[in-house]
């Protein structure tokens, strides 16, 4: 039987052997929710990069560029980190270079050894589940967290995914069990459940309640972003 | 207002500034449950050491020595890692040298910069809570986990402690919120809640169900082990 496991922050990825594993990176507020939205609206590719400087270099080569640090847009870039900014005709068929505080960092950490790196969000949860059914590999959900710390919303996504596939995968490790139980506790009112979480408070100070509600919607899009070389594309 | 936070494994301790903080180390199955039991039964001091070799060196100097690796006693030592072994007249007034897979390692990691390092278990939870009321410092619960990974039982203890002091402390971070919510979900049947956890399965293979039930009992002992120099003593 295949295994599913959860890594609660990229700072714990060293504990996992991912050689034979599909890694699903999630950063619910808001990097992976933006990526999924972008692909659903026709973006051709997203190049996740670690630094603002790399993002500027790609911008100079004609990429549309998106850079977020500490939940805010970096000056001089076209796109911010709101999923609504990715619902734009101008982006159809385009390539986007993107760097964010946590999400793109996690993708970089996973890509060296995983079989495949996918991007997950509540918005494409069922599409991920359906894809995994066709795959023989173990699965690790990598929560992007916040600067190395675990966060509630990414853990809830991990738990939702474990919950959805628990009959097909062996759920051996406590981090996966904990994530699933938190999700089961939260699922009927995720917004209420998250009301006191650290990142919600951080985002509410920035006035983006609309983004929060949007990112918690489930199965809006049938897209599965996958890393091919250095580019994320829709599978 | 004072802050309370939870570090889910010693591999994440680098994310926390503990200069002005009391760190409460917990390793429910079974190091800190053993320590608390030992003090309740009259042990004078426990010297936590990181390696089996250090433990042997102290044994040669006349200490009673306890060494556990991978949940089993290391050959050549007097004490195993069962709390029932600490209920022994021979230990009254004695000093014990102890090394365990996770618990003593966590104590070593915390002691360099914390204001104080305490040892917590369900067995002395209320004694810890009462002591904290007298202290002006922030609190960090450090879960020993299992070889760097998070585990359910230590997280539940952290959650129980956060739950008990939540009116006196600010609970800002998601790891503390997650721990508290898991505890709230588990508290009416902790044994059942833990039934599928990784460490319970590991321990059950070793046939120590009695230890498991014992370690989940709350407030049996009014002891607060604290690190003074290199020795844990009952405060």
């Amino acid at each position: 039987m295949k295994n599913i496991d959860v890594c609660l922050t990229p700072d714990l990825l060293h504990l996992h052997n991912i050689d034979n594993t599909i890694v699903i990176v999630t950063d619910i507020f808001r990097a992976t929710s933006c990526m999924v939205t972008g692909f659903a609206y026709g973006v051709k590719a997203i190049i996740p990069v670690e630094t603002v400087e790399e993002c500027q270099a790609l911008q100079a080569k004609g990429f549309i560029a998106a850079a977020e640090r500490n939940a805010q847009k970096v000056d001089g870039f076209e796109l911010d980190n709101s999923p609504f900014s990715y619902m734009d005709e101008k982006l159809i068929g385009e390539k986007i270079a993107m760097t964010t505080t946590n999400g793109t960092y996690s993708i970089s950490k996973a890509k060296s050894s995983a079989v495949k790196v996918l991007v997950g969000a509540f918005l494409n949860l069922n599409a991920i589940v359906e894809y995994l059914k066709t795959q023989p590999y173990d699965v690790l959900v990598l929560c992007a967290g916040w600067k190395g710390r675990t966060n509630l919303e990414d853990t809830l996504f991990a738990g939702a995914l474990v919950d959805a596939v628990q009959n097909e995968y062996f759920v051996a490790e406590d981090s996966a069990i904990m994530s699933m139980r938190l999700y089961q506790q939260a699922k009927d009112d995720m917004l209420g459940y998250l009301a006191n979480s650290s990142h919600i408070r951080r985002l509410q100070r920035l006035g983006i309640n609309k983004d929060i509600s949007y990112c918690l919607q489930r199965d809006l899009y049938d897209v599965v972003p996958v890393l091919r070389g250095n580019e994320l594309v829709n599978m």
Side-chain angles (χ1 to χ4, degrees), chain A:
Chain A
M1 201 172 188
K2 300 179 281 185
N3 287 293
I4 187 163
D5 198 356
V6 173
C7 182
L8 293 170
T9 109
D11 279 31
L12 294 176
L13 190 59
H14 61 280
L15 300 169
H16 298 265
N17 179 346
I18 56 173
D19 289 349
N20 199 38
T21 301
I22 294 176
V23 174
I24 296 158
V25 175
T26 192
D27 182 0
I28 295 298
F29 300 143
R30 296 166 287 171
T32 63
S33 297
C34 284
M35 290 169 174
V36 168
T37 302
F39 285 115
Y41 278 79
V43 166
K44 184 178 179 188
I46 297 174
I47 295 91
V49 295
E50 281 200 60
T51 65
V52 171
E53 291 68 30
E54 289 172 89
C55 207
Q56 280 167 332
L58 287 172
Q59 187 179 33
K61 289 183 186 171
F63 288 77
I64 293 170
E68 168 268 337
R69 283 295 179 271
N70 298 313
Q72 296 191 276
K73 187 173 82 162
V74 181
D75 284 346
F77 290 89
E78 288 96 336
L79 277 167
D80 62 17
N81 200 30
S82 167
F84 293 101
S85 302
Y86 289 78
M87 301 173 183
D88 187 332
E89 292 194 334
K90 279 186 309 203
L91 302 181
I92 295 173
E94 294 290 337
K95 291 191 173 193
I96 296 172
M98 185 190 291
T99 185
T100 72
T101 312
N102 306 292
T104 53
Y105 170 67
S106 296
I107 292 170
S108 300
K109 275 199 90 161
K111 77 180 174 189
S112 57
S113 55
V115 172
K116 290 192 177 84
V117 177
L118 309 183
V119 160
F122 287 106
L123 300 169
N124 71 333
L125 178 57
N126 192 57
I128 295 278
V129 168
E130 290 300 317
Y131 174 72
L132 291 179
K133 285 182 183 167
T134 69
Q135 297 293 307
Y137 304 105
D138 292 337
V139 168
L140 179 71
V141 188
L142 174 55
C143 299
W146 182 263
K147 297 182 179 179
R149 308 237 6 193
T150 185
N151 74 32
L152 196 45
E153 65 276 12
D154 296 345
T155 305
L156 290 180
F157 170 81
L161 187 53
V162 174
D163 190 60
V165 303
Q166 60 175 302
N167 293 328
E168 291 96 49
Y169 287 79
F170 185 48
V171 183
E173 295 291 339
D174 283 7
S175 53
I177 294 171
M178 285 161 53
S179 303
M180 183 169 63
R181 294 211 178 137
L182 287 166
Y183 170 72
Q184 289 164 348
Q185 197 178 39
K187 65 182 176 185
D188 294 328
D189 177 20
M190 285 211 289
L191 197 58
Y193 196 84
L194 286 166
N196 293 314
S197 76
S198 59
H199 201 47
I200 287 273
R201 282 184 276 112
R202 198 177 294 119
L203 290 174
Q204 281 176 334
R205 283 196 296 274
L206 299 170
I208 41 185
N209 282 309
K210 196 173 68 158
D211 286 16
I212 294 169
S213 301
Y214 172 80
C215 294
L216 295 176
Q217 291 179 98
R218 191 158 163 169
D219 303 332
L220 287 194
Y221 307 122
D222 188 27
V223 302
V224 179
V226 60
L227 199 63
R228 296 221 193 281
N230 291 318
E231 292 188 353
L232 286 164
V233 296
N234 188 8
M235 198 174 280

